[in-house]
Amino acid sequence: MMINNALTPEHHAFRDSLRAFIKKEIIPHIDSWEKNGQIERSIWKKMGEMGFLGLNFPEELGGLQLDFYYSMIFCEELSKCFSGGFTISALVIQYMSAPYLWKYGSSELQKRYLEGIISGDLISAIAITEPGAGSDVKNIKTTALRDGDDYIINGSKTFITNGYYGDFFITAVKTNPKAGIKGISLIVIDRNAEGVSAQKINKMGWHASDTAELHFDQVRVPAKNLVGQENSGFTYLMGGLQLERLTAAIHSLSTAESALEYALDYIQNRSAFNRKLKDFQVLRHNIAQMEADILVQKAFLKHCCDLQQEQVYAVKECSVAKLQASELANRVVSQCLQLFGGYGFTEDYKIARLYRDVRVGTIIGGTSEIMLEIIAKMTIDQVEYNTTASQNQPQKISYDE
């Protein structure tokens, strides 16, 4: 166990190598990816060759099987490339979709799909949200009805990152439409399967990433594409949400850090009324408060990473982290943009992109209102969310509500 999250020389060396990679292979292309609304597939292959897409996964599948602090560093550094769209695409692949294949997928599914993710040859997505069921997973309408050795899938999904240019979706479906949460399953659907169509969503931010609305019209999928056990999908999803929310929180806070660093660099030589901006007391105190807020939140996030490393099913902590980090990031980026004056409202400065990108942080992975309700249930109603298995094995989760 690491005391107080004391990173080793190996962790610091990894951070240095990752920073060098980002500077050489990612930063020079961000502007074109943002403009074109598409990330070049070659970057995933390069990241796969460096091992960056298999940090948590077993060596026998091509991964590096490293501790979670490497993933923490990965999320932090990738979030400072001034493109929320690129960062979220990477996080969706490694932390929001692939883990379901690792924990619950058959050896055949792992061979067909997970190894391709780790190598950078395949791009994955997680398809849960629907037009009529945002954060309300239990009310999804997409069905997968058994027909011999296949499932026939009909329905729609929306706001799916990597849904347009990705290769496959781990999809939440109703295999027993009358059973509520006990009738939800996860099934792998190939992007090019007959009956699958996708339409790009024109977003306010995250321009580099492809976000799509998906439609499934009589899509025939082999029953062997079922992830884990039939009708256990809701349990799997609830078990995976803590990692999703923790990585989203790290992303939000690191975005806030990069915005503050960017603003500090700007005000060093910027003057108004014959004084440097950095010498105005009101600006100095605003910056000091932002720094203090970031440091406090960062300490709590490191605590959450300690819990993740120890495989603790930390529902309250991850909910708090996601809530606080995303709300703080919105405030910090907004205040940083203000320091740029009119220039902050132009696309000539990256703060405008950060402002557009950071806003969705309070929405993805469960809105701030959902986080507050989870925390309220656990604090006021004494609701318990717990798991009886490790993070690396199929989990049985009880919901005492």
Side-chain angles (χ1 to χ4, degrees):
M1 180 185 297
M2 293 188 178
I3 306 301
N4 295 324
N5 193 29
L7 300 183
T8 66
E10 288 76 18
H11 289 111
H12 293 300
F14 171 75
R15 189 187 295 274
D16 290 340
S17 66
L18 178 58
R19 281 179 175 173
F21 179 87
I22 292 172
K23 183 178 180 180
K24 179 183 178 182
E25 302 290 352
I26 295 176
I27 296 296
H29 305 289
I30 288 294
D31 288 346
S32 64
W33 295 344
E34 287 281 327
K35 181 179 179 180
N36 297 330
Q38 182 177 1
I39 300 165
E40 294 177 17
R41 289 187 68 101
S42 60
I43 189 60
W44 305 120
K45 186 64 177 177
K46 291 178 181 178
M47 291 176 70
E49 291 171 351
M50 292 292 292
F52 293 146
L53 299 179
L55 299 178
N56 292 331
F57 303 121
E59 293 179 0
E60 59 265 28
L61 295 173
L64 299 180
Q65 206 162 343
L66 299 170
D67 63 56
F68 185 72
Y69 299 107
Y70 286 92
S71 288
M72 180 190 75
I73 293 168
F74 179 81
C75 294
E76 287 176 344
E77 296 302 324
L78 220 63
S79 298
K80 295 180 179 180
C81 68
F82 294 96
S83 173
F86 172 74
T87 304
I88 196 61
S89 291
L91 299 189
V92 163
I93 291 170
Q94 184 160 203
Y95 302 110
M96 302 179 191
S97 58
Y100 295 105
L101 293 173
W102 171 36
K103 295 177 183 177
Y104 313 111
S106 65
S107 57
E108 181 178 350
L109 286 179
Q110 291 176 348
K111 187 73 176 177
R112 285 168 55 200
Y113 296 103
L114 184 53
E115 289 187 13
I117 290 174
I118 294 170
S119 67
D121 291 305
L122 294 177
I123 300 171
S124 60
I126 178 75
I128 304 173
T129 303
E130 296 187 359
S135 297
D136 190 5
V137 178
K138 67 179 180 294
N139 282 323
I140 63 171
K141 303 299 182 185
T142 298
T143 59
L145 303 181
R146 193 66 182 261
D147 181 32
D149 293 330
D150 299 325
Y151 286 101
I152 305 299
I153 299 175
N154 288 281
S156 299
K157 299 291 180 181
T158 194
F159 303 129
I160 308 305
T161 299
N162 299 337
Y164 194 82
Y165 296 116
D167 296 297
F168 66 93
F169 326 116
I170 298 170
T171 311
V173 297
K174 283 283 185 71
T175 40
N176 186 349
K178 298 180 180 180
I181 63 173
K182 295 182 179 180
I184 294 175
S185 301
L186 298 182
I187 293 178
V188 177
I189 303 177
D190 289 319
R191 169 69 176 86
N192 60 1
E194 186 176 353
V196 175
S197 60
Q199 182 176 353
K200 261 191 175 185
I201 296 173
N202 187 21
K203 310 184 299 293
M204 179 176 77
W206 281 4
H207 290 168
S209 69
D210 57 298
T211 306
E213 184 164 306
L214 307 176
H215 300 281
F216 308 115
D217 182 12
Q218 294 292 107
V219 179
R220 184 173 291 273
V221 175
K224 62 184 178 181
N225 279 25
L226 178 70
V227 179
Q229 297 179 348
E230 189 175 79
N231 300 323
S232 295
F234 186 80
T235 300
Y236 299 159
L237 289 172
M238 294 304 103
L241 282 176
Q242 310 324 313
L243 177 60
E244 177 176 341
R245 288 167 181 166
L246 178 55
T247 53
I250 297 171
H251 171 49
S252 288
L253 190 64
S254 295
T255 300
E257 282 189 290
S258 64
L260 184 55
E261 292 170 3
Y262 188 58
L264 284 171
D265 184 63
Y266 175 78
I267 68 171
Q268 290 301 315
N269 299 307
R270 185 70 180 174
S271 298
F273 303 101
N274 299 317
R275 294 174 62 190
K276 293 289 183 61
L277 288 185
K278 67 182 183 66
D279 294 329
F280 285 85
Q281 186 182 69
V282 65
L283 300 185
R284 295 171 65 85
H285 288 186
N286 284 344
I287 289 169
Q289 187 63 60
M290 285 189 280
E291 175 71 0
D293 291 341
I294 287 172
L295 288 175
V296 170
Q297 182 60 32
K298 195 166 188 177
F300 183 74
L301 267 182
K302 287 184 177 179
H303 168 62
C304 293
C305 290
D306 291 341
L307 296 176
Q308 178 69 27
Q309 170 62 18
E310 297 304 317
Q311 301 180 4
V312 176
Y313 186 64
V315 175
K316 180 184 282 189
E317 290 85 352
C318 289
S319 298
V320 170
K322 200 270 179 183
L323 170 71
Q324 296 295 85
S326 61
E327 293 287 349
L328 175 60
N330 269 274
R331 294 196 301 272
V332 167
V333 174
S334 178
Q335 290 176 32
C336 286
L337 186 146
Q338 189 73 16
L339 295 173
F340 286 77
Y343 291 111
F345 201 63
T346 72
E347 294 296 329
D348 295 331
Y349 288 84
K350 294 183 178 66
I351 194 68
R353 182 188 300 160
L354 290 184
Y355 185 79
R356 287 186 279 103
D357 286 351
V358 78
R359 183 60 187 85
V360 75
T362 62
I363 299 172
I364 63 164
T367 63
S368 290
E369 291 76 16
I370 294 295
M371 297 302 99
L372 287 167
E373 185 58 24
I374 292 171
I375 299 165
K377 284 183 178 180
M378 299 186 75
T379 303
I380 301 170
D381 304 327
Q382 300 298 303
V383 171
E384 294 183 3
Y385 303 88
N386 52 70
T387 175
T388 58
S390 76
Q391 294 287 321
N392 297 343
Q393 299 295 330
Q395 302 170 358
K396 182 179 180 181
I397 301 168
S398 61
Y399 299 90
D400 306 320
E401 298 186 60

